Amino acid sequence: MPDSQKRLGPLFWICLGFIGLVVFGAIFANVLPLPNPDAQNYAAVNAGPSLHHLLGTDDLGRDLLSRIVFGSRVSLVVGFGGIAIGLAIGGTLGLVAGYRSGALDTVLNAGSFVILAFPPLLAIIVIVAFWGRSLPKLTLIIGIASIPSMFRVIRATTMSYANRDFVVAARALGASNRRIIFRELLPNVAPAAISFALIGVAIIVVLEGSLAFLGLSVALPTPSWGNIIYEGASNNNLQTNPFIALWPALAMFLLLTSLNLVGDRLRSYFDVREGGL
Amino acid sequence: MSPPDSPASDEALLEVKDLVVDYRTRHEIIRAVSGVSFSISRGETLGLVGESGCGKSTTGRSVTLVQRPTSGSVVFAGTELTTLAPSRLRQERTKMQMVFQDPISSLNPRRRILDIVAEPLNIWQIGSPEDRLEKAAQMLEAVGMDPGESGHRRPQEFSGGQCQRISIARALILRPLLLVCDEPVSALDVSVQAQILNLLHDLKHEYSLTMLFIAHDLAVVKNASDRVAVMYLGRICEVAPSELLYEEPQHPYSAALLASIPDPDPRSLRDGAPLTGDLPSPADPPSGCRFRTRCPHAQPLCEQVEPPLEEIAPGHLVACHFPEATRHA
């Protein structure tokens, strides 16, 4: 458990606060006093920031702040949902494989290599193109794609604990395998898993952006951060109104920075110093 | 520490026969333990010594079946363990517990020590949750820790010696019959070593324990053990009551090990040539006697025939074609 001397620092709380703000906005977007993100207002096209439109409007006169807030739903659902799938399946398999080793581990490990050998973006593009690109499908596909890397990280972390003497002691005491995995191994693996999961969310948020550029994220006009940046970069918009692309890119940048920093700080905070002897 | 004075009864608590343990790597099979047999009577402490890599730790782990032996038999309190169904083995194994070398790795860094010591009771659902913590606190006191002050802290806040005390408390809370100590003091300072050895000695009497005491330090084993078995390259080469072994080692390897103990008295002289060379690979042991490549008295016979472990005097077993006694005679 954390030492009393260890501190997370103010930057950690600022970043966590920003993540909280984005999540809050995504959940309560309907209730917040925001204009309809799809309402076009040709009287105020490419408007700068004003009281009416805090971040201005795009080339169709849609409110950018509203589009970004509603667009965060896609990014967050894909990001956190995808990682949740990866963590649930890949993490569980990684724990079992790392603890049991043997034939099961060999098979799962080889399987993860086979899947990792495909360039993930290419695989996702192909599947999305054939299967469709609704939000649940997108989340599921990206989630499945994240299973092998999640598996490998959890497996490696588990292996570093599985041969320690306290695990042998637990076995000698008659603890069942399930008990050893959940009571002895999981608490030691969890910090690394959480940290890696947060970084995974950041990677997926960027991935959604890449898919949007290829026209493979959720269908327009539904806003997503990737979709808004894509629109902001097309039709000469970068020359006429760079803010369309700038605001969502800035939001994405801040979210990624926050996720990475929070993940990293949490990992070192929960890291047990073992140099005491 | 005074020599053990408990009368060891003749009834064997643990009987190990022809124990073989292989480790498979990608390219070869390493026979870490290659046909080891010994028995330990109730109340007795058997010391197991040898160089690093001779298979003594593996032997300790196989005896508790934490490491599955490749072949051989382990009879504990009249029960053959190697053929036992997993659920029965789980239960039977609680009567034999282990204390490990590395005090840090022995304890889960994320749990409070009171929970660590109470865990065996939790596993077997013995008593109410309050009872378990109460018993764990008593056990911590028995090993010289203050449960009120330290029970809620985590392992990394303790020194190596304290961690070993906690490990011992955890091992003893189910009141085992046999305690396998796998180099319990090798990682500790000399002053702390003595404390832990004394603690083990006291607890042995208090809980009527039988012990398998594994170490590479002969000086440590001498006082702690009633009998000592010397292992070399996966086999036992000599077994004798500890006094006898230290005074009249019969196997050249035992003699060399004893000669390597630093002696504070410059006038005392011991025979036995110091060891040269390295331990051969257990994947490809020498033919005949395993020790012949490093033995100062090796003869052509040693290359051809592996010497069996034979009793040359009551309670004194040696696996050597030319034990010291016959050579001097």
Side-chain angles (χ1 to χ4, degrees):
Chain A
M1 222 29 197
D3 272 321
S4 48
Q5 299 100 331
K6 278 197 202 170
R7 310 241 344 249
L8 289 164
L11 202 55
F12 170 85
W13 294 108
I14 292 171
C15 289
L16 192 67
F18 183 75
I19 298 171
L21 185 73
V22 174
V23 171
F24 176 84
I27 294 173
F28 296 104
N30 287 329
V31 196
L32 292 170
L34 290 167
N36 183 338
D38 298 326
Q40 304 180 354
N41 179 0
Y42 293 105
V45 168
N46 287 332
S50 67
L51 270 182
H52 264 295
H53 304 289
L54 285 177
L55 298 180
T57 59
D58 68 3
D59 58 335
L60 297 173
R62 296 175 293 194
D63 182 71
L64 274 173
L65 177 64
S66 172
R67 283 185 73 72
I68 288 171
V69 171
F70 276 90
S72 70
R73 288 181 159 182
V74 173
S75 299
L76 291 183
V77 167
V78 173
F80 283 98
I83 279 299
I85 293 171
L87 201 56
I89 300 176
T92 310
L93 291 177
L95 267 173
V96 174
Y99 171 59
R100 300 295 313 248
S101 61
L104 176 77
D105 178 47
T106 311
V107 170
L108 288 175
N109 203 19
S112 78
F113 271 127
V114 170
I115 300 176
L116 282 172
F118 288 112
L121 189 60
L122 201 64
I124 291 169
I125 288 169
V126 170
I127 298 172
V128 170
F130 278 100
W131 196 35
R133 48 187 182 135
S134 69
L135 188 54
K137 284 182 183 174
L138 215 54
T139 309
L140 189 63
I141 293 165
I142 292 179
I144 291 172
S146 74
I147 289 175
S149 38
M150 219 64 218
F151 166 79
R152 296 197 62 77
V153 169
I154 304 294
R155 170 180 172 269
T157 316
T158 307
M159 282 173 85
S160 74
Y161 287 98
N163 287 323
R164 299 218 183 167
D165 290 336
F166 67 80
V167 176
V168 179
R171 269 202 289 156
L173 288 163
S176 61
N177 286 330
R178 185 193 297 183
R179 190 178 183 98
I180 290 174
I181 287 177
F182 284 108
R183 290 293 195 88
E184 307 289 344
L185 293 174
L186 188 58
N188 285 296
V189 173
I194 291 167
S195 165
F196 187 70
L198 287 175
I199 291 165
V201 171
I203 292 170
I204 294 180
V205 169
V206 176
L207 183 66
E208 188 275 329
S210 315
L211 287 174
F213 260 77
L214 299 165
L216 291 171
S217 183
V218 287
L220 294 168
T222 309
S224 80
W225 288 2
N227 280 347
I228 308 171
I229 299 174
Y230 173 61
E231 287 173 340
S234 47
N235 301 335
N236 258 348
N237 275 337
L238 274 185
Q239 277 84 15
T240 50
N241 185 5
F243 288 106
I244 304 175
L246 181 68
W247 293 126
L250 191 66
M252 195 185 272
F253 167 74
L254 288 176
L255 184 68
L256 300 194
T257 310
S258 301
L259 285 167
N260 278 315
L261 189 132
V262 166
D264 193 52
R265 286 284 163 90
L266 277 180
R267 190 192 47 72
S268 58
Y269 184 68
F270 283 106
D271 194 30
V272 176
R273 285 175 306 151
E274 303 189 12
L277 192 65
Chain B
M1 187 165 160
S2 63
D5 42 6
S6 66
S9 69
D10 283 344
E11 187 196 348
L13 178 69
L14 178 76
E15 211 162 345
V16 177
K17 259 204 191 100
D18 302 324
L19 190 74
V20 175
V21 186
D22 289 340
Y23 287 118
R24 265 162 226 282
T25 68
R26 208 162 284 215
H27 309 291
E28 55 190 4
I29 293 173
I30 292 171
R31 184 150 286 191
V33 179
S34 167
V36 160
S37 306
F38 61 87
S39 69
I40 310 179
S41 312
R42 268 179 211 275
E44 187 189 32
T45 298
L46 178 70
L48 191 58
V49 295
E51 279 169 283
S52 303
C54 73
K56 55 192 191 301
S57 289
T58 306
T59 304
R61 283 166 173 249
S62 311
V63 161
T64 52
L65 263 83
V66 169
Q67 165 82 44
R68 279 250 161 218
T70 311
S71 68
S73 108
V74 178
V75 177
F76 175 73
T79 312
E80 169 64 58
L81 296 184
T82 52
T83 53
L84 222 51
S87 57
R88 282 265 288 132
L89 177 63
R90 251 185 77 202
Q91 198 144 23
E92 210 56 37
R93 198 157 56 187
T94 58
K95 295 177 195 149
M96 43 210 311
Q97 286 303 314
M98 299 184 77
V99 176
F100 303 93
Q101 175 174 9
D102 181 354
I104 293 297
S105 152
S106 298
L107 306 172
N108 189 336
R110 302 231 167 256
R111 308 189 72 179
R112 302 176 313 155
I113 66 162
L114 205 55
D115 292 334
I116 289 175
V117 177
E119 175 72 3
L121 302 173
N122 290 330
I123 292 173
W124 295 100
Q125 306 270 312
I126 298 167
S128 68
E130 297 79 42
D131 285 349
R132 295 174 200 162
L133 289 180
E134 177 61 34
K135 270 195 183 151
Q138 287 168 2
M139 202 64 233
L140 278 173
E141 251 171 82
V143 297
M145 303 278 295
D146 178 0
E149 190 246 342
S150 55
H152 295 268
R153 307 216 312 234
R154 280 161 224 275
Q156 72 267 22
E157 299 180 53
F158 295 96
S159 69
Q162 288 172 313
C163 284
Q164 285 306 60
R165 288 175 189 269
I166 299 164
S167 290
I168 292 167
R170 172 182 59 189
L172 292 185
I173 198 161
L174 288 177
R175 302 293 155 97
L177 301 172
L178 176 74
L179 190 62
V180 176
C181 300
D182 186 1
E183 308 228 18
V185 298
S186 314
L188 307 176
D189 290 342
V190 177
S191 59
V192 183
Q193 283 191 0
Q195 292 172 16
I196 298 295
L197 288 172
N198 283 334
L199 176 70
L200 282 171
H201 177 76
D202 295 344
L203 291 172
K204 184 190 160 177
H205 291 271
E206 203 176 326
Y207 293 88
S208 340
L209 292 168
T210 304
M211 281 173 43
L212 176 61
F213 193 97
I214 302 167
H216 60 251
D217 184 343
L218 282 140
V220 164
V221 167
K222 182 179 181 184
N223 292 321
S225 317
D226 301 302
R227 279 193 307 142
V228 177
V230 182
M231 254 185 109
Y232 183 79
L233 206 63
R235 289 186 81 90
I236 288 181
C237 55
E238 183 164 5
V239 186
S242 54
E243 290 295 316
L244 194 60
L245 183 85
Y246 282 77
E247 273 157 31
E248 295 168 38
Q250 293 300 317
H251 197 283
Y253 179 62
S254 316
L257 275 185
L258 286 168
S260 72
I261 299 177
D263 194 328
D265 181 0
R267 284 162 302 183
S268 81
L269 285 172
R270 279 214 190 85
D271 45 355
L275 276 186
T276 54
D278 290 324
L279 200 63
S281 165
D284 183 24
S287 66
C289 174
R290 288 170 175 246
F291 185 58
R292 68 172 169 83
T293 51
R294 298 164 80 187
C295 183
H297 314 295
Q299 307 282 324
L301 173 67
C302 303
E303 199 174 328
Q304 287 147 18
V305 182
E306 178 153 18
L309 191 64
E310 281 174 335
E311 193 158 23
I312 60 160
H316 197 156
L317 285 76
V318 183
C320 182
H321 293 303
F322 309 101
E324 301 279 328
T326 60
R327 265 187 294 112
H328 290 302

